[in-house]
Every structure is written in structure tokens, then in C-alpha cells.
Amino acid sequence: MSRYSIDDFVNETKQKDRGEGVFELETPRMLEINLNGQIWAKAGAMVSYRGSIKFEREGIFEHGLGKMFKKALTGEGTSLMKATGNGKLYVADQGKKISILNLQGESIYVNGNDLLAFEPSINWDIKLMKRVAGMLAGGLFNVRLEGRGMAAITSHYEPLTLLVTPDNPVYTDPNATVAWSGTLAPEFVTDISLKTFLGRGSGESIQMKFSGNGFVVVQPFEEIYYSQQS
């Protein structure tokens, strides 16, 4: 059989069962969900599925009035879909790299644009960073996950995790910040000299400062967020 044949291609790229559980990384940028019940995923993330699976957009009142108002403020970036049934579901987000987290009672904050999927056993809430909303286009929001279960987050290219200690705070670019531990509460600081030095837009002068004990995940890419009005 000659190299680069169709058979070679199929054998190299075909789906493989790894027996890893509900969430499996089929490739670094494709998540396989072995569905037996229900899962939450980012709206529009479905690439393919097999089996009997029903998809529904998140109901307006499904999670209570408080979250509905927060969703109205944060725009479409937080839209979720509910997948219910039995089968294999494949989800992805613009070719971004996927990381799986198995929460064991911990909590983590994830940038709303970087949350791909999570099990219904995980409690979640939308947090809008009001103090920075007027500084960045469209503001900045994140989702707090807590409990037990699997979650999948995405990043442009390989993520880097930086440890935060009381004597060594970490500063990040908000547009490059993917997630941080639930033990941390970032504050926003501005640096006029940095803005002048870089010669870029107003967003470049804003930094997130993480203090305490925990970690923060960054990516080598700056995502630009737009409001619904833009």
C-alpha cells in the first residue's frame, strides 16, 4: 500500500476509544463527550455526534432570574446549550487547544469565552467584572465553576499556569487571561506608562493583579471582546 493513501489517512485520523470516561481528548483540539444523560456545552460548539442526542438552547429562566439578568449584561458569549441523551458528542471551538479539569470540590474561574463544556453536577455562576466593563470593548466576564465533575476549557495555543503566593503577586493582560483558582479575587490596575510605551489602545494599560495563594492560567494570545452593540 502506497504512502499517503486514503486508507493511511483514515487509519491515522479515525476516532479511537480510550476509555477515559465522560470527557476524552480525541485530539488536542477536539473533545469527545461520552454522553449518558446530560451535559452543558458552549452554544455552537457541536461538531458531530452519533447516537440519540437532543440539543436545546439554554432556557431564559432555567437558572433563575439573577443569572438571566447577568446573561443580558454579558451578551452572547455566555450562551450555553444542553445536550441530552446517549451517544458520542464531539465539540470544539475555533481550533483552540482543550484542557480537561476534573473538579474534586474545588472552584475555578474561567473566562466566559474559554469555557467549552461541563457536567451538570458542577455548580456555576456568571460574574461580570463591572469595574473594567467601561475600559475594555464589551467588558469582561467569567464563569465560576465549583463542585465535583468534569469541565473542559480552551486556550489559543498552549496554556501557561503561573503560581501566585502572598509575597509574589502576578499581573496579567485581561485579554490573555484564561482562568484562575477560586481562591483568588483579581483587582484591576492601570499603568499609563505601559500604555504610552506600547502605543496601543486603552485596553493595554489595564492589568489584572492576582494576590494571595492560588494560580492563574494565561495564553500566548490576546482575545478581543466585542459587545453586542459593536
Side-chain angles (χ1 to χ4, degrees), residues 8-201:
D8 279 349
F9 174 79
V10 170
N11 286 329
E12 186 175 328
T13 61
K14 69 181 179 182
Q15 180 261 335
K16 302 173 182 65
D17 285 318
R18 295 175 170 82
E20 295 173 355
V22 178
F23 282 13
E24 293 186 15
L25 278 181
E26 193 59 37
T27 74
R29 291 167 174 79
M30 183 82 72
L31 177 68
E32 177 186 278
I33 301 173
N34 294 297
L35 187 62
N36 182 18
Q38 182 181 308
I39 205 78
W40 287 102
K42 187 174 184 178
M46 189 276 286
V47 171
S48 179
Y49 71 92
R50 64 171 79 219
S52 177
I53 301 176
K54 179 183 178 183
F55 298 94
E56 299 174 88
R57 293 281 287 198
E58 178 187 9
I60 291 178
F61 295 103
E62 187 147 6
H63 301 288
L65 202 58
K67 286 185 182 177
M68 184 190 75
F69 283 127
K70 279 183 256 187
K71 281 178 63 62
L73 287 171
T74 55
E76 281 298 304
T78 48
S79 292
L80 298 171
M81 66 177 181
K82 179 168 57 176
T84 308
N86 292 277
K88 289 185 181 292
L89 171 61
Y90 298 92
V91 294
D93 186 13
Q94 301 180 50
K96 293 163 70 175
K97 186 176 177 63
I98 299 169
S99 300
I100 297 175
L101 305 172
N102 187 1
L103 297 186
Q104 298 292 319
E106 308 101 326
S107 61
I108 186 171
Y109 289 89
V110 182
N111 184 299
N113 202 43
D114 300 320
L115 179 60
L116 181 62
F118 58 93
E119 290 190 90
S121 58
I122 293 178
N123 296 315
W124 64 278
D125 194 15
I126 297 169
K127 304 288 185 181
L128 178 64
M129 299 181 182
K130 296 177 182 176
R131 286 193 298 170
V132 78
M135 305 177 194
L136 296 174
L140 198 66
F141 66 91
N142 56 74
V143 181
R144 186 178 191 270
L145 304 175
E146 183 176 23
R148 294 182 177 274
M150 306 288 276
I153 65 174
T154 61
S155 61
H156 285 278
Y157 311 105
E158 284 67 32
L160 172 67
T161 298
L162 302 169
L163 298 182
V164 181
T165 57
D167 60 340
N168 198 4
V170 172
Y171 296 81
T172 66
D173 181 332
N175 292 322
T177 306
V178 173
W180 58 93
S181 54
T183 55
L184 300 178
E187 58 181 298
F188 291 90
V189 296
T190 56
D191 188 333
I192 301 302
S193 64
L194 179 62
K195 174 185 173 183
T196 306
F197 174 73
L198 290 171
R200 297 187 187 178

